[in-house]
Short mmCIF file of all heavy atoms in Angstrom, two decimals:
data_model
loop_
_atom_site.label_atom_id
_atom_site.label_comp_id
_atom_site.label_asym_id
_atom_site.label_seq_id
_atom_site.Cartn_x
_atom_site.Cartn_y
_atom_site.Cartn_z
N LYS L 23 85.49 100.75 122.44
CA LYS L 23 86.05 99.94 123.44
C LYS L 23 87.16 99.12 122.76
O LYS L 23 86.96 98.23 122.13
CB LYS L 23 85.00 99.04 124.06
CG LYS L 23 84.03 99.73 124.87
CD LYS L 23 83.04 98.75 125.58
CE LYS L 23 82.02 99.47 126.22
NZ LYS L 23 81.03 98.56 126.86
N TRP L 24 88.47 99.61 122.96
CA TRP L 24 89.56 99.04 122.26
C TRP L 24 89.83 97.60 122.72
O TRP L 24 90.46 96.79 121.97
CB TRP L 24 90.77 99.92 122.37
CG TRP L 24 90.55 101.21 121.74
CD1 TRP L 24 90.45 102.41 122.40
CD2 TRP L 24 90.35 101.47 120.33
NE1 TRP L 24 90.14 103.39 121.41
CE2 TRP L 24 90.19 102.85 120.20
CE3 TRP L 24 90.47 100.70 119.20
CZ2 TRP L 24 90.05 103.49 119.01
CZ3 TRP L 24 90.31 101.30 117.96
CH2 TRP L 24 90.09 102.64 117.86
N ASN L 25 89.37 97.25 123.85
CA ASN L 25 89.58 95.92 124.32
C ASN L 25 88.43 94.96 124.09
O ASN L 25 88.35 93.87 124.58
CB ASN L 25 89.99 95.86 125.84
CG ASN L 25 88.92 96.45 126.60
OD1 ASN L 25 87.87 96.97 126.19
ND2 ASN L 25 89.07 96.42 127.98
N ASP L 26 87.34 95.45 123.36
CA ASP L 26 86.20 94.68 123.04
C ASP L 26 86.51 93.62 122.02
O ASP L 26 86.91 93.93 120.94
CB ASP L 26 85.04 95.62 122.57
CG ASP L 26 83.88 94.79 122.16
OD1 ASP L 26 83.65 93.69 122.72
OD2 ASP L 26 83.03 95.37 121.44
N LYS L 27 86.46 92.38 122.33
CA LYS L 27 86.72 91.22 121.47
C LYS L 27 85.56 90.52 120.87
O LYS L 27 85.75 89.48 120.30
CB LYS L 27 87.73 90.22 122.15
CG LYS L 27 89.09 90.88 122.47
CD LYS L 27 90.03 89.83 123.04
CE LYS L 27 91.31 90.45 123.22
NZ LYS L 27 92.37 89.40 123.46
N SER L 28 84.48 91.07 121.02
CA SER L 28 83.20 90.33 120.53
C SER L 28 83.29 90.18 119.04
O SER L 28 82.85 89.05 118.61
CB SER L 28 81.93 91.15 120.94
OG SER L 28 81.91 92.43 120.38
N TRP L 29 83.72 91.08 118.23
CA TRP L 29 83.75 90.91 116.81
C TRP L 29 84.81 89.79 116.46
O TRP L 29 84.55 89.07 115.54
CB TRP L 29 84.14 92.21 116.07
CG TRP L 29 85.60 92.60 116.15
CD1 TRP L 29 86.08 93.50 117.06
CD2 TRP L 29 86.62 92.27 115.28
NE1 TRP L 29 87.44 93.59 116.82
CE2 TRP L 29 87.80 92.87 115.71
CE3 TRP L 29 86.72 91.39 114.16
CZ2 TRP L 29 89.02 92.69 115.14
CZ3 TRP L 29 87.92 91.26 113.54
CH2 TRP L 29 89.15 91.88 114.01
N GLN L 30 85.84 89.68 117.32
CA GLN L 30 86.91 88.63 116.94
C GLN L 30 86.28 87.20 117.21
O GLN L 30 86.49 86.33 116.44
CB GLN L 30 88.12 88.88 117.83
CG GLN L 30 88.86 90.08 117.39
CD GLN L 30 89.51 90.87 118.55
OE1 GLN L 30 88.88 91.12 119.59
NE2 GLN L 30 90.81 91.09 118.40
N LYS L 31 85.51 87.06 118.30
CA LYS L 31 84.89 85.75 118.51
C LYS L 31 83.91 85.54 117.39
O LYS L 31 83.77 84.34 116.90
CB LYS L 31 84.23 85.83 119.85
CG LYS L 31 85.19 85.85 121.06
CD LYS L 31 84.45 85.94 122.37
CE LYS L 31 85.36 86.15 123.43
NZ LYS L 31 84.77 86.35 124.78
N ASP L 32 83.08 86.45 117.02
CA ASP L 32 82.12 86.32 115.92
C ASP L 32 82.79 85.85 114.69
O ASP L 32 82.42 85.02 113.97
CB ASP L 32 81.38 87.55 115.78
CG ASP L 32 80.16 87.41 114.88
OD1 ASP L 32 79.62 86.33 114.81
OD2 ASP L 32 79.69 88.45 114.33
N PHE L 33 83.95 86.62 114.37
CA PHE L 33 84.62 86.33 113.12
C PHE L 33 85.26 84.94 113.09
O PHE L 33 85.32 84.27 112.02
CB PHE L 33 85.67 87.46 112.89
CG PHE L 33 86.35 87.49 111.53
CD1 PHE L 33 85.65 87.27 110.39
CD2 PHE L 33 87.71 87.64 111.48
CE1 PHE L 33 86.22 87.33 109.14
CE2 PHE L 33 88.32 87.66 110.24
CZ PHE L 33 87.59 87.50 109.08
N LEU L 34 85.76 84.45 114.23
CA LEU L 34 86.30 83.14 114.27
C LEU L 34 85.28 82.08 113.89
O LEU L 34 85.59 81.02 113.33
CB LEU L 34 86.82 82.83 115.68
CG LEU L 34 88.18 83.39 116.06
CD1 LEU L 34 88.40 83.27 117.56
CD2 LEU L 34 89.29 82.72 115.27
N ASN L 35 84.06 82.26 114.20
CA ASN L 35 82.92 81.36 113.82
C ASN L 35 82.41 81.60 112.46
O ASN L 35 81.68 80.68 111.99
CB ASN L 35 81.75 81.51 114.91
CG ASN L 35 82.21 81.10 116.25
OD1 ASN L 35 82.98 80.20 116.46
ND2 ASN L 35 81.74 81.79 117.23
N MET L 36 82.70 82.60 111.79
CA MET L 36 82.21 82.87 110.46
C MET L 36 82.82 82.12 109.34
O MET L 36 82.24 81.78 108.34
CB MET L 36 82.24 84.41 110.14
CG MET L 36 81.37 85.22 110.93
SD MET L 36 81.66 86.99 110.57
CE MET L 36 80.31 87.32 109.45
N LYS L 37 84.12 81.84 109.53
CA LYS L 37 84.87 81.15 108.42
C LYS L 37 86.11 80.48 109.01
O LYS L 37 86.45 80.70 110.20
CB LYS L 37 85.31 82.06 107.36
CG LYS L 37 86.16 83.19 107.83
CD LYS L 37 86.63 84.01 106.55
CE LYS L 37 88.12 83.79 106.47
NZ LYS L 37 88.87 84.20 105.35
N SER L 38 86.85 79.69 108.22
CA SER L 38 88.14 79.08 108.74
C SER L 38 89.21 80.01 108.58
O SER L 38 89.24 80.87 107.75
CB SER L 38 88.43 77.73 107.97
OG SER L 38 88.58 78.02 106.62
N HIS L 39 90.16 79.96 109.48
CA HIS L 39 91.28 80.96 109.50
C HIS L 39 92.58 80.14 109.58
O HIS L 39 92.61 78.93 110.04
CB HIS L 39 91.20 81.82 110.71
CG HIS L 39 90.01 82.69 110.78
ND1 HIS L 39 89.98 83.91 110.04
CD2 HIS L 39 88.74 82.59 111.41
CE1 HIS L 39 88.83 84.49 110.22
NE2 HIS L 39 88.03 83.62 111.06
N SER L 40 93.62 80.75 109.13
CA SER L 40 94.97 80.18 109.33
C SER L 40 95.25 80.16 110.85
O SER L 40 94.71 80.86 111.63
CB SER L 40 95.98 81.02 108.62
OG SER L 40 96.26 82.27 109.29
N LEU L 41 96.27 79.32 111.24
CA LEU L 41 96.56 79.24 112.62
C LEU L 41 97.18 80.58 113.19
O LEU L 41 96.70 80.98 114.28
CB LEU L 41 97.64 78.11 112.79
CG LEU L 41 98.14 77.90 114.25
CD1 LEU L 41 96.94 77.43 115.11
CD2 LEU L 41 99.26 76.77 114.22
N ALA L 42 97.87 81.25 112.36
CA ALA L 42 98.43 82.57 112.84
C ALA L 42 97.27 83.62 113.04
O ALA L 42 97.28 84.30 113.98
CB ALA L 42 99.43 83.12 111.76
N ASP L 43 96.35 83.65 112.17
CA ASP L 43 95.23 84.56 112.33
C ASP L 43 94.34 84.19 113.46
O ASP L 43 93.87 85.11 114.20
CB ASP L 43 94.36 84.59 110.97
CG ASP L 43 95.02 85.31 109.84
OD1 ASP L 43 96.03 86.08 110.09
OD2 ASP L 43 94.54 85.26 108.73
N ALA L 44 94.14 82.84 113.68
CA ALA L 44 93.33 82.46 114.79
C ALA L 44 94.01 82.95 116.10
O ALA L 44 93.35 83.33 117.02
CB ALA L 44 93.06 80.93 114.74
N LYS L 45 95.30 82.72 116.21
CA LYS L 45 96.05 83.01 117.44
C LYS L 45 95.95 84.59 117.65
O LYS L 45 95.74 85.06 118.80
CB LYS L 45 97.51 82.72 117.32
CG LYS L 45 97.84 81.26 117.57
CD LYS L 45 99.29 80.98 117.49
CE LYS L 45 99.69 79.61 117.79
NZ LYS L 45 101.11 79.32 117.77
N LEU L 46 96.00 85.36 116.52
CA LEU L 46 95.96 86.79 116.65
C LEU L 46 94.57 87.19 117.14
O LEU L 46 94.39 88.06 117.96
CB LEU L 46 96.28 87.40 115.32
CG LEU L 46 96.22 88.94 115.25
CD1 LEU L 46 97.22 89.62 116.19
CD2 LEU L 46 96.53 89.37 113.80
N LEU L 47 93.56 86.64 116.67
CA LEU L 47 92.22 86.94 116.97
C LEU L 47 91.89 86.57 118.46
O LEU L 47 91.18 87.31 119.12
CB LEU L 47 91.22 86.19 116.05
CG LEU L 47 91.07 86.86 114.60
CD1 LEU L 47 90.41 85.81 113.72
CD2 LEU L 47 90.47 88.22 114.62
N MET L 48 92.49 85.50 118.90
CA MET L 48 92.19 85.06 120.37
C MET L 48 93.17 85.65 121.31
O MET L 48 92.76 86.02 122.42
CB MET L 48 92.42 83.53 120.45
CG MET L 48 91.29 82.80 119.76
SD MET L 48 91.42 81.01 119.98
CE MET L 48 92.85 80.51 119.11
N GLY L 49 94.45 85.97 120.86
CA GLY L 49 95.39 86.40 121.80
C GLY L 49 95.69 87.90 121.86
O GLY L 49 96.16 88.45 122.81
N GLY L 50 95.35 88.60 120.75
CA GLY L 50 95.56 90.01 120.66
C GLY L 50 96.82 90.38 120.03
O GLY L 50 97.70 89.53 119.61
N VAL L 51 97.05 91.64 119.97
CA VAL L 51 98.17 92.35 119.27
C VAL L 51 99.47 92.28 120.09
O VAL L 51 99.44 92.60 121.38
CB VAL L 51 97.83 93.74 118.85
CG1 VAL L 51 99.01 94.49 118.25
CG2 VAL L 51 96.65 93.76 117.95
N LYS L 52 100.62 91.94 119.55
CA LYS L 52 101.85 91.93 120.18
C LYS L 52 102.79 92.99 119.63
O LYS L 52 103.82 93.23 120.19
CB LYS L 52 102.57 90.57 120.08
CG LYS L 52 101.75 89.40 120.54
CD LYS L 52 101.90 89.20 122.08
CE LYS L 52 101.18 87.95 122.57
NZ LYS L 52 99.85 87.90 122.73
N GLY L 53 102.53 93.50 118.40
CA GLY L 53 103.39 94.50 117.83
C GLY L 53 102.66 95.17 116.63
O GLY L 53 101.48 94.92 116.38
N LEU L 54 103.46 95.99 115.98
CA LEU L 54 102.91 96.75 114.79
C LEU L 54 102.37 95.78 113.75
O LEU L 54 101.33 96.08 113.11
CB LEU L 54 104.00 97.71 114.32
CG LEU L 54 103.63 98.62 113.19
CD1 LEU L 54 102.44 99.51 113.54
CD2 LEU L 54 104.79 99.43 112.66
N LYS L 55 103.10 94.78 113.39
CA LYS L 55 102.71 93.89 112.31
C LYS L 55 101.36 93.20 112.71
O LYS L 55 100.40 93.10 111.82
CB LYS L 55 103.82 92.82 112.08
CG LYS L 55 103.43 91.82 111.09
CD LYS L 55 104.53 90.78 110.91
CE LYS L 55 104.14 89.68 109.91
NZ LYS L 55 105.16 88.58 109.89
N ASP L 56 101.22 92.87 113.97
CA ASP L 56 99.93 92.30 114.39
C ASP L 56 98.80 93.31 114.31
O ASP L 56 97.65 92.92 113.94
CB ASP L 56 100.07 91.77 115.84
CG ASP L 56 100.93 90.47 116.04
OD1 ASP L 56 101.20 89.88 114.97
OD2 ASP L 56 101.24 90.16 117.13
N ALA L 57 99.15 94.41 114.65
CA ALA L 57 98.06 95.53 114.63
C ALA L 57 97.59 95.76 113.16
O ALA L 57 96.41 95.93 112.92
CB ALA L 57 98.56 96.80 115.21
N TRP L 58 98.47 95.74 112.24
CA TRP L 58 98.15 95.92 110.81
C TRP L 58 97.34 94.77 110.43
O TRP L 58 96.23 94.92 109.81
CB TRP L 58 99.46 96.03 109.97
CG TRP L 58 99.14 96.06 108.58
CD1 TRP L 58 98.89 97.18 107.85
CD2 TRP L 58 99.15 95.00 107.65
NE1 TRP L 58 98.60 96.84 106.54
CE2 TRP L 58 98.81 95.53 106.36
CE3 TRP L 58 99.43 93.59 107.72
CZ2 TRP L 58 98.73 94.62 105.21
CZ3 TRP L 58 99.32 92.84 106.64
CH2 TRP L 58 98.98 93.35 105.43
N ARG L 59 97.76 93.56 110.73
CA ARG L 59 97.00 92.28 110.23
C ARG L 59 95.62 92.30 110.93
O ARG L 59 94.58 91.89 110.22
CB ARG L 59 97.80 91.07 110.61
CG ARG L 59 97.14 89.78 110.21
CD ARG L 59 97.12 89.69 108.72
NE ARG L 59 96.28 88.50 108.30
CZ ARG L 59 95.57 88.40 107.18
NH1 ARG L 59 95.64 89.39 106.31
NH2 ARG L 59 94.88 87.34 106.96
N LEU L 60 95.51 92.62 112.16
CA LEU L 60 94.19 92.65 112.85
C LEU L 60 93.19 93.70 112.15
O LEU L 60 92.08 93.47 112.04
CB LEU L 60 94.33 93.02 114.32
CG LEU L 60 93.10 92.80 115.19
CD1 LEU L 60 92.72 91.31 115.19
CD2 LEU L 60 93.32 93.25 116.60
N GLY L 61 93.82 94.80 111.69
CA GLY L 61 93.05 95.81 111.01
C GLY L 61 92.45 95.22 109.64
O GLY L 61 91.29 95.44 109.30
N VAL L 62 93.28 94.50 108.91
CA VAL L 62 92.92 93.81 107.75
C VAL L 62 91.83 92.80 108.06
O VAL L 62 90.83 92.73 107.30
CB VAL L 62 94.10 93.13 107.02
CG1 VAL L 62 93.70 92.28 105.93
CG2 VAL L 62 95.17 94.19 106.58
#
C-alpha cells in the first residue's frame, strides 16, 4: 500500500528527526529528491 503511512508515524516516535525529515515523514513526497530521502 504505497499510501500507507503507519511506518512513518512509528518512525517519528522512535527517535528525534531534523525538521526537514519530520516534514517529509508527515507530509509526503513532493519530488525525486524527497522520494530518495524517504527511501533512506
Side-chain angles (χ1 to χ4, degrees):
K23 293 181 181 178
W24 296 109
N25 60 354
D26 180 20
K27 293 189 176 191
S28 60
W29 75 267
Q30 291 146 305
K31 291 176 186 174
D32 191 26
F33 190 44
L34 280 168
N35 295 323
M36 290 175 100
K37 61 173 249 170
S38 62
H39 297 278
S40 69
L41 182 59
D43 285 349
K45 281 184 178 179
L46 179 60
L47 288 165
M48 290 185 293
V51 174
K52 304 276 191 281
L54 183 61
K55 182 180 172 187
D56 288 347
W58 176 82
R59 182 65 187 151
L60 191 62
V62 170

